[in-house]
Amino acid sequence: MDKHYLTTEQLVGFENYKYSCKDTSPLSKYVMHPYWNCVVEYCPKWVAPNLLTFIGFLFAVGIFLLFTIMDYYILASDDDYPDVSPLPKWTFIVAAIFMFVAYTLDGIDGKQARRTGSSSPLGELFDHGIDSYTASLIPITVFSVFGRGEKFSLNSYHMYFLLWNILINFHLCHWEKYNTGVLFLPWGYDITMCITVIMFIITGIWGYQMWQFVLPGGITLGKLLEIIIYGTALLSNLPTVLWNVYLSYKDRTGYGRSLLEALRPFSSVVIFFLICMGWVLNSPGQILDTDPRPIFFITGTIFSNICCRLIVAQMSSSRSEAFNMLLIPTALVTFLSVITRSARLEFGLAYSLCVFVALAHVHYGCCVVRQMCRHFRINCFSLKPHAD
């Protein structure tokens, strides 16, 4: 069933939209962009940029599905669970290849759009919308490199908070653009993607045991990564975002929204966080310890939907929504799980919610893409003949 999620105001806003982005990362500027410039020349001009974006996303989904099947409970890389078979080394090699391909396609889609003269607001929305989903799928797969045992890695609760940290930082970048009108690409993205590929390769060659060591002071690699990720967010990303927003107000280069309007995109995030904390901390079945994947998946899916709606608002210069409707069924599942104290009911509701939010998010994405294609009279996955 088709639904018009975009308002007339938003469609008009997309017509007036102009892409504005700043990428100051040395790795991106001196290594990745030269590589992407070379690769894109081998891409036929009849290939639509959005098709490259979508294929790259499928490779990321492929990694997620691979580890979901092979290491569902994220215990294969933990020697404290001898009954769980370790992951074959080829699993990580495949993950490295898939990750590299996904990263490459994500890097050349914009360049393909420019060389074919097919750049459009749909392309940017499609690209960033998909990125909002992979922002959760990739970290979940990386957890399988270390497992979730506390001896060398992190337990499920620490992993969950790390996932929230990553997602909030993704949201911050688009909140920054919502107020400044400029997308400042964080340095950490390219660094993280390259490190992840290298990490998968190392694990595929020497095994997960490579990461099982303890540094002076009793710091495991899991703890070290936790310190680095939180430290980067608090000492680098957050201050940079706040400074850029401050300058946009000071120099009057941004939208100049009131404080309440500027902070409006955070309302759904805060409510969602409180609901999730109420669930996992009062779970009758200790779901994060027993079966963390549905919680990880639900969190990533709903967060992607929240981010997609923020991206629509900032690209169309419209008002951000204050409440995401997917939070209602999530709150209901949380309430029923906590009130009934039934672990069996909780797991049934959690898996039902997984299916519901996934279908709702896919429906939103498909309808928005179709609506924009009709409005701009373009195709999402193919180019008009004159574009070559």
Side-chain angles (χ1 to χ4, degrees):
M1 180 179 178
D2 204 3
K3 181 177 179 180
H4 292 178
Y5 284 102
L6 301 179
T7 65
T8 302
E9 174 196 0
Q10 289 173 328
L11 290 172
V12 172
F14 276 116
E15 290 179 358
N16 301 320
Y17 174 74
K18 292 184 179 180
Y19 181 59
S20 181
C21 171
K22 290 186 178 180
D23 187 358
T24 60
S25 166
L27 175 60
S28 176
K29 184 177 180 179
Y30 298 109
V31 179
M32 300 316 304
H33 277 292
Y35 163 68
W36 292 328
N37 288 333
C38 179
V39 172
V40 76
E41 294 298 323
Y42 293 93
C43 184
K45 286 192 174 183
W46 52 263
V47 176
N50 290 335
L51 183 59
L52 297 176
T53 305
F54 187 66
I55 293 175
F57 173 67
L58 292 181
F59 273 97
V61 172
I63 303 172
F64 177 79
L65 292 177
L66 175 65
F67 284 104
T68 299
I69 295 171
M70 301 291 292
D71 185 25
Y72 181 81
Y73 293 103
I74 319 178
L75 297 172
S77 297
D78 192 340
D79 292 335
D80 287 339
Y81 295 88
D83 294 336
V84 180
S85 300
L87 288 172
K89 291 182 178 179
W90 64 260
T91 307
F92 298 103
I93 297 298
V94 169
I97 295 172
F98 277 27
M99 179 72 74
F100 182 75
V101 173
Y103 182 38
T104 298
L105 293 176
D106 185 47
I108 69 172
D109 53 5
K111 297 181 183 297
Q112 176 73 350
R114 287 185 287 275
R115 72 193 286 258
T116 57
S118 58
S119 297
S120 70
L122 173 61
E124 182 180 346
L125 176 62
F126 193 77
D127 187 11
H128 294 317
I130 281 181
D131 286 344
S132 71
Y133 214 168
T134 56
S136 66
L137 298 182
I138 299 303
I140 294 172
T141 63
V142 172
F143 291 155
S144 286
V145 174
F146 311 105
R148 55 187 177 99
E150 295 188 68
K151 185 176 181 181
F152 295 106
S153 185
L154 302 170
N155 62 37
S156 298
Y157 291 89
H158 283 254
M159 287 182 174
Y160 189 52
F161 283 114
L162 274 185
L163 179 62
W164 264 98
N165 175 79
I166 293 168
L167 295 177
I168 288 175
N169 276 277
F170 183 91
H171 183 273
L172 272 174
C173 291
H174 290 281
W175 172 79
E176 178 183 30
K177 187 180 181 184
Y178 178 74
N179 287 287
T180 65
V182 180
L183 180 62
F184 296 88
L185 296 178
W187 287 20
Y189 173 71
D190 294 300
I191 296 174
T192 300
M193 295 299 287
C194 291
I195 290 178
T196 301
V197 172
I198 294 172
M199 188 178 296
F200 278 140
I201 293 174
I202 292 175
T203 310
I205 296 175
W206 290 287
Y208 69 89
Q209 294 86 354
M210 283 290 300
W211 311 111
Q212 294 186 344
F213 56 83
V214 180
L215 298 172
I219 299 177
T220 63
L221 181 62
K223 287 292 183 183
L224 180 62
L225 288 175
E226 193 173 27
I227 292 170
I228 292 174
I229 292 173
Y230 282 129
T232 302
L234 294 175
L235 301 178
S236 176
N237 193 45
L238 180 60
T240 301
V241 167
L242 294 178
W243 178 251
N244 287 332
V245 172
Y246 164 75
L247 288 180
S248 74
Y249 278 89
K250 177 177 177 292
D251 300 333
R252 298 185 179 181
T253 56
Y255 293 104
R257 294 185 170 94
S258 67
L259 180 61
L260 287 179
E261 285 298 314
L263 296 177
R264 185 179 173 89
F266 286 118
S267 58
S268 289
V269 176
V270 172
I271 295 171
F272 185 34
F273 180 78
L274 293 176
I275 292 173
C276 289
M277 291 306 103
W279 185 357
V280 300
L281 297 179
N282 298 282
S283 168
Q286 299 296 310
I287 194 167
L288 267 186
D289 279 329
T290 309
D291 190 1
R293 276 199 185 269
I295 296 296
F296 288 169
F297 182 76
I298 291 168
T299 302
T301 302
I302 296 180
F303 213 102
S304 177
N305 193 265
I306 292 173
C307 287
C308 284
R309 293 171 185 269
L310 172 58
I311 294 168
V312 166
Q314 52 102 335
M315 288 185 65
S316 61
S317 299
S318 58
R319 195 184 191 197
S320 171
E321 67 174 20
F323 183 79
N324 188 289
M325 297 303 292
L326 291 180
L327 301 186
I328 295 177
T330 308
L332 181 60
V333 167
T334 299
F335 175 77
L336 292 175
S337 298
V338 174
I339 290 298
T340 62
R341 305 305 301 170
S342 169
R344 183 175 181 179
L345 175 64
E346 177 185 27
F347 289 116
L349 290 173
Y351 279 99
S352 298
L353 186 60
C354 279
V355 175
F356 177 79
V357 298
L359 291 177
H361 186 42
V362 170
H363 182 265
Y364 172 79
C366 290
C367 288
V368 167
V369 169
R370 285 199 295 265
Q371 195 175 353
M372 289 195 67
C373 285
R374 288 193 298 266
H375 182 78
F376 287 101
R377 298 181 180 180
I378 57 178
N379 297 318
C380 183
F381 296 123
S382 63
L383 299 177
K384 293 181 179 180
H386 65 77
D388 191 354

